[in-house]
Amino acid sequence: MSQAQTPLDSILDARPLAWWGVMVTDIESGDTLYMRNAERSFMPASVTKLYTTAAVLDQLGPDYQYVTQLFADGIQNDTSFVGNLIVRGAGDPSTGAFDSEWKTLFNGFADSLLAIGIQDVYGDIIGDDNVFDDVAHGADWSWEDLIYGYAAQISGLTFYDAAVDIHAYPTTSGNKGRLKVSPEIDDYFTIKNQTITLPRGQSLQEGHHRVAESNEITVSSKIPVGRSDPEVITVHNPTLYFLHALKTVLSSRNIRVHGQIRDIDDLPDDFEYSSSRRIASHTSAPMSELVATVNKNSHNLYAEHLLKTLGHELPDLDEDDDIGSAAMGVAASVRTYAKAEMDTSRIQLVDGSGLSRKNLVTPAMTIGLLDYMASHPNLDVRDAFKSSLAVAGQDGTLEYRFIGNSPGNGRVLAKTGTLGNVSSLAGYVMQDNGSQIAFVIFCNHFQGRHAVIRAIQESFVNSLITSSSVQE
């Protein structure tokens, strides 16, 4: 290709001190239309989710579903059950995920217990999260992130995105604010309200803290009249959080559990399910829907669960990593990357979401993945992957980008990625001449506002729509 300055070069050079990695290809012809630093490694941020979701769709399929099961281990005597209830997690990230629906799963379990006449359980509720390893966070996640919902703990048994919504509202100037907590199972937390209401017109000052390895949360925000402070705070030990919510709902249905909530690892011996009775089960939405949550909304917890699920369901037994670990998920994912004819020797992935700065990929390998998924031999996989991407100007993380009369509005399907000093955009766009284009734009090591970089990315992609703007 010519080394002369092109219109696309000029767009990127509007921010010359940023480190750009870009590649553009025509999917049908396979032709490379533009490259800049395409073989160099970049931090992809949440574009990592394209790697995770492509691998799980390719290997587990869009119809894969999680099944969370409730077992009873003991003896029933009329309305009493002497023994333990065991919830066997499957790694489903979506259990109790929404405020309006979080009781649905647990009411289903309650219905099943009542259907066989159980009203008193003289034993414990035990959670089995051993489908995954016990590593709660991704490699090299920043400790400053760990309190916030986007860095929730990973567990084979989870509930409500492993987080709690705390919304702080002002009262009268100079007085303590008011907190609203969702879900309403406050006794699992110790929440200290140290908020202060400020006069109208002053700036909101957020303040949140959770003591490490505990659920002691302090909210110290200063909230002006007329404003509010919503925040999603992570929960320590999602497994026990799930069990506590279950016990709360059972109690509301007049099913009394007289024992404690416990992790299955606390039992003195390995539990044998063959000697117990399955009481109920809950089946998740299909993988195609879960993948859409990952890519459209950039949901970190879902992405981490999907990666570990692949490492549990289809482990690479030639690797020394633990089954159900992120490392095993990455090892299993490489099978998909190899089929996409990517240079797997240079891929460095350590989590499923892209929250880690240890992830390093090249624009060229990312284009290889996009090209492979756009022409995947399984049409259902192909459609699930493309449908999972945010639509510019319409939904997900692109709802407020390429808006108005932007040429890309409704025509760009892509995944965004954002970390400090990192901004990424990768996906597909249809040109005016009908050609389908795959593009990757990584920007690392810039200083200043992300909005400036995003504007450059949007200008670049809009220029792709007119084929004459692309370097031949």
Side-chain angles (χ1 to χ4, degrees):
M1 292 187 299
S2 170
Q3 299 302 306
Q5 186 83 351
T6 71
L8 294 179
D9 287 322
S10 299
I11 293 171
L12 299 179
D13 289 342
R15 192 60 180 253
L17 298 182
W19 187 243
W20 293 99
V22 183
M23 189 166 178
V24 182
T25 61
D26 184 300
I27 291 173
E28 184 175 356
S29 69
D31 293 341
T32 297
L33 306 179
Y34 181 86
M35 289 194 302
R36 178 181 288 199
N37 298 318
E39 297 293 345
R40 293 187 179 273
S41 294
F42 289 80
M43 288 180 285
S46 281
V47 167
T48 300
K49 294 180 176 73
L50 294 181
Y51 286 77
T52 303
T53 55
V56 296
L57 285 172
D58 179 53
Q59 297 187 45
L60 297 179
D63 297 326
Y64 176 92
Q65 293 175 288
Y66 295 91
V67 180
T68 304
Q69 303 174 87
L70 176 68
F71 290 85
D73 182 42
I75 300 172
Q76 183 174 350
N77 182 11
D78 196 18
T79 61
S80 297
F81 180 80
V82 180
N84 299 320
L85 300 178
I86 301 95
V87 183
R88 190 177 196 181
D92 182 359
S94 64
T95 46
F98 303 103
D99 188 38
S100 61
E101 301 175 3
W102 73 265
K103 293 182 180 179
T104 303
L105 165 66
F106 302 124
N107 275 315
F109 284 0
D111 290 340
S112 297
L113 290 168
L114 291 171
I116 59 176
I118 294 177
Q119 292 184 314
D120 285 276
V121 177
Y122 292 94
D124 300 330
I125 303 181
I126 298 169
D128 181 353
D129 56 12
N130 289 337
V131 65
F132 294 162
D133 65 2
D134 290 328
V135 179
H137 299 110
D140 202 44
W141 285 7
S142 171
W143 68 269
E144 295 176 328
D145 292 332
L146 302 185
I147 185 178
Y148 297 109
Y150 59 81
Q153 294 184 13
I154 309 156
S155 171
L157 190 61
T158 197
F159 163 68
Y160 206 82
D161 289 350
V164 58
D165 296 328
I166 303 179
H167 203 140
Y169 296 90
T171 53
T172 55
S173 181
N175 291 317
K176 184 179 293 187
R178 174 176 60 88
L179 302 181
K180 180 180 178 181
V181 179
S182 298
E184 295 177 346
I185 51 171
D186 306 13
D187 54 333
Y188 188 69
F189 318 100
T190 300
I191 300 179
K192 298 180 179 179
N193 183 357
Q194 297 181 359
T195 60
I196 296 293
T197 302
L198 299 177
R200 186 182 297 273
Q202 293 196 16
S203 298
L204 172 68
Q205 302 173 46
E206 297 182 2
H208 307 91
H209 176 71
R210 178 172 62 76
V211 177
E213 305 294 311
S214 81
N215 287 305
E216 181 179 313
I217 299 168
T218 299
V219 183
S220 57
S221 300
K222 297 179 180 179
I223 316 153
V225 173
R227 299 283 302 277
S228 67
D229 177 28
E231 192 56 76
V232 181
I233 304 297
T234 57
V235 167
H236 177 63
N237 200 326
T239 298
L240 297 187
Y241 189 32
F242 182 106
L243 300 179
H244 188 89
L246 172 58
K247 188 175 181 180
T248 299
V249 172
L250 293 182
S251 177
S252 74
R253 299 288 302 278
N254 295 316
I255 301 173
R256 295 165 291 275
V257 179
H258 299 274
Q260 306 299 313
I261 57 174
R262 303 169 64 193
D263 190 295
I264 201 167
D265 292 339
D266 295 334
L267 299 182
D269 302 305
D270 291 340
F271 182 74
E272 295 292 339
Y273 284 97
S274 59
S275 61
S276 63
R277 176 184 179 187
R278 191 173 83 162
I279 301 297
S281 64
H282 172 79
T283 302
S284 74
M287 182 62 75
S288 57
E289 293 186 25
L290 302 179
V291 161
T293 298
V294 172
N295 284 337
K296 282 188 181 293
N297 301 325
S298 203
H299 202 302
N300 291 338
L301 183 66
Y302 277 47
E304 298 302 335
H305 276 242
L306 298 193
L307 182 66
K308 288 193 174 187
T309 297
L310 187 58
H312 176 267
E313 294 285 358
L314 297 172
D316 184 344
L317 298 180
D318 292 332
E319 298 291 328
D320 294 330
D321 303 306
D322 292 334
I323 292 176
S325 66
M328 183 59 83
V330 172
S333 298
V334 169
R335 290 189 290 260
T336 294
Y337 311 149
K339 285 193 289 183
E341 299 182 352
M342 297 156 60
D343 183 0
T344 59
S345 68
R346 293 192 58 201
I347 295 175
Q348 179 174 300
L349 295 174
V350 299
D351 69 9
S353 65
L355 198 55
S356 175
R357 290 180 174 272
K358 285 186 175 180
N359 295 312
L360 292 173
V361 298
T362 70
M365 64 178 64
T366 309
I367 280 289
L369 185 70
L370 290 169
D371 286 347
Y372 174 69
M373 295 303 290
S375 57
H376 195 280
N378 184 326
L379 183 60
D380 291 338
V381 169
R382 186 190 313 174
D383 289 346
F385 184 74
K386 294 190 73 174
S387 297
S388 75
L389 301 176
V391 181
Q394 297 184 18
D395 64 17
T397 58
L398 288 179
E399 182 176 2
Y400 301 107
R401 297 182 64 177
F402 298 91
I403 58 176
N405 294 323
S406 169
N409 191 330
R411 297 176 66 172
V412 176
L413 307 177
K415 181 73 200 75
T416 58
T418 304
L419 289 172
N421 313 112
V422 176
S423 182
S424 304
L425 187 67
Y428 306 103
V429 64
M430 188 71 72
Q431 289 186 302
D432 283 340
N433 64 7
S435 297
Q436 188 180 22
I437 299 298
F439 68 89
V440 177
I441 311 173
F442 292 146
C443 188
N444 284 190
H445 309 301
F446 64 89
Q447 292 181 322
R449 297 170 60 237
H450 280 74
V452 175
I453 302 301
R454 290 170 181 161
I456 293 173
Q457 292 169 342
E458 291 176 31
S459 178
F460 185 96
V461 174
N462 282 333
S463 294
L464 298 178
I465 293 174
T466 305
S467 57
S468 60
S469 298
V470 180
Q471 179 177 339
E472 299 294 341

